[in-house]
Amino acid sequence: MIKIVPEIDAGSGFCFGVTTAISKAEEELAKGTRLYCLGDIVHNSMECERLEKMGLITINHDDLRELHDAKVLLRAHGEPPETYELAKRNNIEIIDATCPVVLQLQRRIKKRYTLSSPQIVIFGKPGHAEVLGLVGQTEGHAIVVASLDDVKLLDFTRDIYLYSQTTQSLDEFHEIIQYIREHISPDAVFESFDTICRQVANRMPNVSGFASKHDLVLFVSGRKSSNGKVLFNECRRVNTNSHLIEGPDEIRHEWLQGLETIGICGATSTPKWLMEQCSDRIMQLQQ
């Protein structure tokens, strides 16, 4: 039996924002600093476990309220203004690893809201950390839409300013823009701002091409990753023999039968070392 050596997608793995956040955490931990992180630093349980073994302590917002005189890292997703205000009151030093793309988006939304308090709409996942940070720039008044059905509930007689969570689908965003244009009152203003991160958006066609050239695709991602869900759905659309796995232990021997090529790819929250472990596991299962 000839072993199949899996191909790991060179374009998969951590985006710039996640890489920066993890580097900042590693730098602080290397100094022996007691470092807290507000929420999972990345939506990948195995990477979180690796950093926890180095000393990173993950906390939630309730924990933050009780914390004083400490050092806390804010992950790439960003936080609403009240998090910074709380940190100041509790004498907490912030290590701010908010992604520059997210930070710029927060500022744009805050400026627009401050100018005229209009109907600000954010295309994104309700409750997602990045979205909570964006809504916080409007004192909680922004409207979050997750689908076209949500868009239909907007007030089309009022001005609409549309933004997007940075990791959303570009195609879906354009569908929403088209729908609003067709339904907005002639007396109302509609402006849309393409705030989708191109480093993420460009992965869609890349992962599509990668998935199409393999008999089996293993998409490695934490199941909590929004970006992972979007990219995996694209993999499965192109190649029905695609499986979402969180790590090497989920790979099944029966998946590997009768194949000529195997591809391994992942989300912007997937570490390269984890994809390499999955490749090693495939080689072991073929022995």
Side-chain angles (χ1 to χ4, degrees), residues 72-87:
V72 176
L73 182 136
L74 302 185
R75 55 197 177 162
H77 301 89
E79 284 289 323
E82 51 262 34
T83 297
Y84 294 87
E85 293 162 7
L86 175 61

Side-chain angles (χ1 to χ4, degrees), residues 202-218:
N202 290 341
R203 292 199 182 189
M204 187 73 83
N206 291 345
V207 82
S208 177
F210 182 81
S212 68
K213 66 179 185 178
H214 291 290
D215 297 329
L216 167 69
V217 176
L218 297 182

Side-chain angles (χ1 to χ4, degrees), residues 211-251:
S212 68
K213 66 179 185 178
H214 291 290
D215 297 329
L216 167 69
V217 176
L218 297 182
F219 189 88
V220 188
S221 172
R223 290 187 168 86
K224 291 196 289 185
S225 168
S226 294
N227 166 255
K229 288 173 186 174
V230 170
L231 289 176
F232 173 64
N233 286 337
E234 179 63 12
C235 274
R236 194 165 50 183
R237 184 187 70 80
V238 172
N239 185 336
T240 54
N241 196 24
S242 297
H243 298 276
L244 174 65
I245 60 171
E246 290 202 334
D249 293 343
E250 295 183 21
I251 299 171

